[in-house]
Amino acid sequence: MNKISFWFKGLKAALLTAIGVSAIYSTLDYFYLQNAIETGADPLETGFWDPFLTNLYLIFNLLSIGATIYLLVYSIGFVFRTAQLVRAADPSAISWKPGWVIAGNFIPYLSLIVPFRFLLEINKATSNSDEEKKRTKTLLFANFFLSVAALLIAGNNFTDIILGTVITFEEFVQNEFRVIISSVFDIAAMFVMFKLIPSIFKGLPRSTPPTE
């Protein structure tokens, strides 16, 4: 249980960090886009934007990458260890082997479905009341749909970046706007996750029965 506590506390810290960094970066991105619309060009290429804001924007761009990795590590760790604990207490409670928590996070689209499925089964196996399980399940679905929305909204932009697609200025503005909207959904999804994990942690088995 101490291992679960470590990952639980780490995940809460990672979520708060990611929410804070994403909120600041999204705000800076809004001013970045606003300057681009006013000048008709990418502020990072023309140098028309305030140097302080430019540096701050670039710093938080890097911090957002770090926060994403930080969150990914602790998300995997928490769900993996929790799935192991629940499965040890009741092998029938978890359908898939916990190893899928790690593998699934590195497969496109499955990275949303796999943790969601595991958390649904973990929530069902907790010792919480039926009312609390229902509330947690509702939050899990909210987190899932918010995450899907964020991915779909920003999807085309990520594709353009990966493929190195040459885009017009109008497309650049549209892409940046999608990134900002996507970030809002992403922040909301992380906030919902922050609200639901204490309930799951509280209802976990406190000890693992001895193996025969």
Side-chain angles (χ1 to χ4, degrees), residues 53-70:
L53 289 178
T54 299
N55 290 331
L56 203 61
Y57 176 81
L58 293 173
I59 289 170
F60 271 89
N61 187 11
L62 293 175
L63 285 176
S64 66
I65 296 172
T68 299
I69 296 171
Y70 178 26

Side-chain angles (χ1 to χ4, degrees), residues 98-117:
W100 271 105
V101 175
I102 300 172
N105 273 280
F106 296 97
I107 302 173
Y109 300 106
L110 277 182
S111 60
L112 291 176
I113 297 170
V114 171
F116 171 68
R117 180 188 172 102

Side-chain angles (χ1 to χ4, degrees), residues 48 53 55 69 84 111-112 130 143 164 174 178 189 192 211:
F48 291 154
L53 289 178
N55 290 331
I69 296 171
Q84 280 187 322
S111 60
L112 291 176
D130 290 341
N143 169 265
Q174 291 173 2
R178 284 205 304 268
V192 171
T211 55

Side-chain angles (χ1 to χ4, degrees), residues 79 83 86 92-97 100-101 105 109-125 137 140-141 143-144 193 200:
V79 179
V86 172
S92 65
I94 305 294
S95 303
W96 295 353
K97 291 183 178 179
W100 271 105
V101 175
N105 273 280
Y109 300 106
L110 277 182
S111 60
L112 291 176
I113 297 170
V114 171
F116 171 68
R117 180 188 172 102
F118 270 99
L119 287 172
L120 275 179
E121 293 188 331
I122 290 167
N123 176 54
K124 187 178 179 181
K137 184 178 180 180
L140 278 169
F141 272 97
N143 169 265
F144 177 73
M193 180 61 73
I200 288 178

Side-chain angles (χ1 to χ4, degrees), residues 31-53:
F31 289 119
Y32 167 75
L33 179 59
Q34 191 177 47
N35 185 274
I37 294 172
E38 290 173 356
T39 61
D42 184 347
L44 296 181
E45 294 180 356
T46 60
F48 291 154
W49 204 20
D50 182 272
F52 174 74
L53 289 178

Side-chain angles (χ1 to χ4, degrees), residues 9-211:
K9 292 175 182 177
L11 179 55
K12 287 207 304 181
L15 283 165
L16 286 176
T17 301
I19 289 170
V21 170
S22 295
I24 295 172
Y25 180 66
S26 297
T27 302
L28 290 169
D29 205 17
Y30 169 78
F31 289 119
Y32 167 75
L33 179 59
Q34 191 177 47
N35 185 274
I37 294 172
E38 290 173 356
T39 61
D42 184 347
L44 296 181
E45 294 180 356
T46 60
F48 291 154
W49 204 20
D50 182 272
F52 174 74
L53 289 178
T54 299
N55 290 331
L56 203 61
Y57 176 81
L58 293 173
I59 289 170
F60 271 89
N61 187 11
L62 293 175
L63 285 176
S64 66
I65 296 172
T68 299
I69 296 171
Y70 178 26
L71 179 57
L72 177 63
V73 169
Y74 276 92
S75 295
I76 291 174
F78 176 73
V79 179
F80 177 74
R81 288 298 186 186
T82 303
Q84 280 187 322
L85 181 68
V86 172
R87 205 164 193 252
D90 179 6
S92 65
I94 305 294
S95 303
W96 295 353
K97 291 183 178 179
W100 271 105
V101 175
I102 300 172
N105 273 280
F106 296 97
I107 302 173
Y109 300 106
L110 277 182
S111 60
L112 291 176
I113 297 170
V114 171
F116 171 68
R117 180 188 172 102
F118 270 99
L119 287 172
L120 275 179
E121 293 188 331
I122 290 167
N123 176 54
K124 187 178 179 181
T126 62
S127 60
N128 295 328
S129 66
D130 290 341
E131 184 180 348
E132 186 161 4
K133 286 181 182 180
K134 185 177 180 181
R135 173 184 168 275
T136 304
K137 184 178 180 180
T138 301
L139 290 175
L140 278 169
F141 272 97
N143 169 265
F144 177 73
F145 287 119
L146 285 167
S147 298
V148 169
L151 181 64
L152 292 177
I153 292 169
N156 291 337
N157 185 52
F158 292 144
T159 302
D160 289 340
I161 293 173
I162 293 171
L163 297 178
T165 306
V166 178
I167 58 176
T168 64
F169 178 73
E170 289 73 19
E171 290 172 330
F172 160 76
V173 170
Q174 291 173 2
N175 285 352
E176 284 300 317
F177 182 72
R178 284 205 304 268
V179 168
I180 294 171
I181 299 301
S182 172
S183 295
V184 172
F185 278 91
D186 213 20
I187 291 169
M190 289 187 287
F191 178 76
V192 171
M193 180 61 73
F194 183 81
K195 297 293 288 184
L196 72 86
I197 57 172
S199 175
I200 288 178
F201 178 72
K202 182 181 69 175
L204 292 174
R206 295 293 136 184
S207 60
T208 303
T211 55

